[in-house]
Amino acid sequence: ETGVTQTPRHLVMGMTNKKSLKCEQHLGHNAMYWYKQSAKKPLELMFVYSLEERVENNSVPSRFSPECPNSSHLFLHLHTLQPEDSALYLCASSQAQGLNEQFFGPGTRLTVL
Amino acid sequence: GENVEQHPSTLSVQEGDSAVIKCTYSDSASNYFPWYKQELGKRPQLIIDIRSNVGEKKDQRIAVTLNKTAKHFSLHITETQPEDSAVYFCAASIYNFNKFYFGSGTKLNVKP
């Protein structure tokens, strides 16, 4: 284990459902990230929280809503998703300052029906 | 914003041969370049990184080179082994800024 955990590991949801992804890090980091990984595409940075403040939102649709209640936890709330949102969602954490080596969680495999 | 391009998308080598993966970036402010390895069904893991004040870095069979002028950096794996088979991602970032831009990945297949 790298110290970054994600739940659930797999999620199947309909387009009208509301669900949440959870990420937790036990590394003492103070920056956390959400990435989307689709087949044959680069890792797409969705959100960055540094010191519990959102510092990056790469034009992600509003049907994705992040929440960072503290430096150890990160959520991604999902509602009215589309089939093209099916992907692997990876959480990562790092130190906010200095060398920003990122540690990734195992990901949540999301399927939208 | 930063644009990172990675080539080739797939690479097949014989065990024992060398493998080279190349990336280019567009933002001259980028100064930190990590490489991640992602095995099938697993999370990406950092294997080596380089900062812009260094031209080359080695760690056993893995090396990374950086050409700041040309804005490209490369991963070199020597004496490849079947367990090197994975997808490799390059990334560019600005030190102290929490933004990472990843390449599209290279699927490396090492044939025994």
mmCIF file of all heavy atoms in Angstrom, chain A residues 74-90:
data_model
loop_
_atom_site.group_PDB
_atom_site.id
_atom_site.type_symbol
_atom_site.label_atom_id
_atom_site.label_comp_id
_atom_site.label_asym_id
_atom_site.label_seq_id
_atom_site.Cartn_x
_atom_site.Cartn_y
_atom_site.Cartn_z
ATOM 1 N N LEU A 74 -10.465 13.464 0.521
ATOM 2 C CA LEU A 74 -10.914 14.116 -0.701
ATOM 3 C C LEU A 74 -12.081 13.315 -1.259
ATOM 4 O O LEU A 74 -12.040 12.087 -1.294
ATOM 5 C CB LEU A 74 -9.778 14.166 -1.718
ATOM 6 C CG LEU A 74 -10.027 14.890 -3.032
ATOM 7 C CD1 LEU A 74 -10.237 16.388 -2.790
ATOM 8 C CD2 LEU A 74 -8.862 14.674 -3.997
ATOM 9 N N PHE A 75 -13.111 14.030 -1.670
ATOM 10 C CA PHE A 75 -14.286 13.380 -2.232
ATOM 11 C C PHE A 75 -14.539 13.912 -3.645
ATOM 12 O O PHE A 75 -14.164 15.034 -3.980
ATOM 13 C CB PHE A 75 -15.533 13.652 -1.370
ATOM 14 C CG PHE A 75 -15.463 13.066 0.003
ATOM 15 C CD1 PHE A 75 -14.924 13.776 1.060
ATOM 16 C CD2 PHE A 75 -15.957 11.788 0.248
ATOM 17 C CE1 PHE A 75 -14.859 13.234 2.339
ATOM 18 C CE2 PHE A 75 -15.899 11.236 1.519
ATOM 19 C CZ PHE A 75 -15.351 11.959 2.567
ATOM 20 N N LEU A 76 -15.180 13.083 -4.432
ATOM 21 C CA LEU A 76 -15.668 13.524 -5.738
ATOM 22 C C LEU A 76 -17.138 13.117 -5.814
ATOM 23 O O LEU A 76 -17.469 11.936 -5.868
ATOM 24 C CB LEU A 76 -14.867 12.889 -6.866
ATOM 25 C CG LEU A 76 -15.172 13.403 -8.273
ATOM 26 C CD1 LEU A 76 -14.845 14.895 -8.396
ATOM 27 C CD2 LEU A 76 -14.395 12.614 -9.327
ATOM 28 N N HIS A 77 -18.004 14.124 -5.777
ATOM 29 C CA HIS A 77 -19.438 13.869 -5.828
ATOM 30 C C HIS A 77 -19.891 13.865 -7.278
ATOM 31 O O HIS A 77 -19.528 14.760 -8.052
ATOM 32 C CB HIS A 77 -20.190 14.943 -5.024
ATOM 33 C CG HIS A 77 -19.747 15.044 -3.601
ATOM 34 N ND1 HIS A 77 -19.854 13.994 -2.705
ATOM 35 C CD2 HIS A 77 -19.174 16.078 -2.914
ATOM 36 C CE1 HIS A 77 -19.382 14.365 -1.526
ATOM 37 N NE2 HIS A 77 -18.961 15.628 -1.625
ATOM 38 N N LEU A 78 -20.682 12.863 -7.609
ATOM 39 C CA LEU A 78 -21.090 12.646 -8.991
ATOM 40 C C LEU A 78 -22.609 12.719 -9.114
ATOM 41 O O LEU A 78 -23.335 12.137 -8.287
ATOM 42 C CB LEU A 78 -20.641 11.251 -9.456
ATOM 43 C CG LEU A 78 -19.227 10.811 -9.074
ATOM 44 C CD1 LEU A 78 -19.033 9.336 -9.409
ATOM 45 C CD2 LEU A 78 -18.198 11.679 -9.776
ATOM 46 N N HIS A 79 -23.107 13.424 -10.114
ATOM 47 C CA HIS A 79 -24.553 13.441 -10.338
ATOM 48 C C HIS A 79 -24.852 13.689 -11.796
ATOM 49 O O HIS A 79 -24.169 14.447 -12.467
ATOM 50 C CB HIS A 79 -25.234 14.483 -9.444
ATOM 51 C CG HIS A 79 -24.819 15.893 -9.747
ATOM 52 N ND1 HIS A 79 -25.555 16.733 -10.566
ATOM 53 C CD2 HIS A 79 -23.757 16.621 -9.342
ATOM 54 C CE1 HIS A 79 -24.950 17.908 -10.641
ATOM 55 N NE2 HIS A 79 -23.868 17.861 -9.904
ATOM 56 N N THR A 80 -25.876 13.006 -12.280
ATOM 57 C CA THR A 80 -26.323 13.074 -13.682
ATOM 58 C C THR A 80 -25.161 12.925 -14.645
ATOM 59 O O THR A 80 -24.940 13.761 -15.535
ATOM 60 C CB THR A 80 -27.106 14.370 -13.977
ATOM 61 O OG1 THR A 80 -26.291 15.503 -13.693
ATOM 62 C CG2 THR A 80 -28.362 14.413 -13.165
ATOM 63 N N LEU A 81 -24.390 11.860 -14.458
ATOM 64 C CA LEU A 81 -23.239 11.619 -15.335
ATOM 65 C C LEU A 81 -23.681 11.087 -16.688
ATOM 66 O O LEU A 81 -24.826 10.641 -16.862
ATOM 67 C CB LEU A 81 -22.278 10.625 -14.678
ATOM 68 C CG LEU A 81 -21.578 11.094 -13.403
ATOM 69 C CD1 LEU A 81 -20.467 10.123 -13.045
ATOM 70 C CD2 LEU A 81 -21.025 12.496 -13.542
ATOM 71 N N GLN A 82 -22.744 11.115 -17.623
ATOM 72 C CA GLN A 82 -22.973 10.634 -18.972
ATOM 73 C C GLN A 82 -22.139 9.369 -19.211
ATOM 74 O O GLN A 82 -21.111 9.177 -18.538
ATOM 75 C CB GLN A 82 -22.566 11.713 -19.986
ATOM 76 C CG GLN A 82 -23.260 13.042 -19.772
ATOM 77 C CD GLN A 82 -24.764 12.940 -19.952
ATOM 78 O OE1 GLN A 82 -25.226 12.345 -20.933
ATOM 79 N NE2 GLN A 82 -25.527 13.478 -19.011
ATOM 80 N N PRO A 83 -22.529 8.531 -20.157
ATOM 81 C CA PRO A 83 -21.730 7.320 -20.428
ATOM 82 C C PRO A 83 -20.265 7.631 -20.719
ATOM 83 O O PRO A 83 -19.395 6.834 -20.352
ATOM 84 C CB PRO A 83 -22.447 6.707 -21.634
ATOM 85 C CG PRO A 83 -23.864 7.140 -21.488
ATOM 86 C CD PRO A 83 -23.802 8.536 -20.920
ATOM 87 N N GLU A 84 -19.981 8.765 -21.344
ATOM 88 C CA GLU A 84 -18.585 9.093 -21.655
ATOM 89 C C GLU A 84 -17.766 9.445 -20.409
ATOM 90 O O GLU A 84 -16.547 9.616 -20.494
ATOM 91 C CB GLU A 84 -18.500 10.248 -22.661
ATOM 92 C CG GLU A 84 -19.181 11.527 -22.224
ATOM 93 C CD GLU A 84 -20.601 11.662 -22.756
ATOM 94 O OE1 GLU A 84 -21.268 10.609 -22.968
ATOM 95 O OE2 GLU A 84 -21.036 12.809 -22.945
ATOM 96 N N ASP A 85 -18.438 9.545 -19.277
ATOM 97 C CA ASP A 85 -17.714 9.768 -18.021
ATOM 98 C C ASP A 85 -17.155 8.466 -17.454
ATOM 99 O O ASP A 85 -16.419 8.485 -16.459
ATOM 100 C CB ASP A 85 -18.626 10.419 -16.987
ATOM 101 C CG ASP A 85 -19.090 11.800 -17.414
ATOM 102 O OD1 ASP A 85 -18.274 12.538 -18.018
ATOM 103 O OD2 ASP A 85 -20.264 12.145 -17.153
ATOM 104 N N SER A 86 -17.500 7.355 -18.056
ATOM 105 C CA SER A 86 -16.950 6.065 -17.616
ATOM 106 C C SER A 86 -15.438 6.093 -17.783
ATOM 107 O O SER A 86 -14.921 6.408 -18.861
ATOM 108 C CB SER A 86 -17.549 4.927 -18.436
ATOM 109 O OG SER A 86 -18.950 4.853 -18.272
ATOM 110 N N ALA A 87 -14.736 5.777 -16.709
ATOM 111 C CA ALA A 87 -13.269 5.853 -16.726
ATOM 112 C C ALA A 87 -12.735 5.360 -15.389
ATOM 113 O O ALA A 87 -13.502 5.009 -14.489
ATOM 114 C CB ALA A 87 -12.800 7.291 -16.972
ATOM 115 N N LEU A 88 -11.429 5.367 -15.272
ATOM 116 C CA LEU A 88 -10.779 5.114 -13.991
ATOM 117 C C LEU A 88 -10.482 6.469 -13.357
ATOM 118 O O LEU A 88 -9.855 7.329 -13.977
ATOM 119 C CB LEU A 88 -9.472 4.335 -14.189
ATOM 120 C CG LEU A 88 -8.690 3.994 -12.930
ATOM 121 C CD1 LEU A 88 -9.438 2.966 -12.081
ATOM 122 C CD2 LEU A 88 -7.294 3.470 -13.285
ATOM 123 N N TYR A 89 -10.950 6.679 -12.154
ATOM 124 C CA TYR A 89 -10.717 7.945 -11.459
ATOM 125 C C TYR A 89 -9.662 7.702 -10.383
ATOM 126 O O TYR A 89 -9.848 6.902 -9.466
ATOM 127 C CB TYR A 89 -12.023 8.478 -10.867
ATOM 128 C CG TYR A 89 -12.920 8.992 -11.971
ATOM 129 C CD1 TYR A 89 -13.752 8.122 -12.674
ATOM 130 C CD2 TYR A 89 -12.889 10.328 -12.355
ATOM 131 C CE1 TYR A 89 -14.536 8.577 -13.719
ATOM 132 C CE2 TYR A 89 -13.666 10.786 -13.403
ATOM 133 C CZ TYR A 89 -14.491 9.898 -14.096
ATOM 134 O OH TYR A 89 -15.244 10.345 -15.144
ATOM 135 N N LEU A 90 -8.569 8.418 -10.547
ATOM 136 C CA LEU A 90 -7.423 8.253 -9.664
ATOM 137 C C LEU A 90 -7.281 9.457 -8.750
ATOM 138 O O LEU A 90 -7.370 10.603 -9.191
ATOM 139 C CB LEU A 90 -6.140 8.094 -10.481
ATOM 140 C CG LEU A 90 -5.965 6.772 -11.231
ATOM 141 C CD1 LEU A 90 -4.945 6.929 -12.339
ATOM 142 C CD2 LEU A 90 -5.539 5.677 -10.277
#
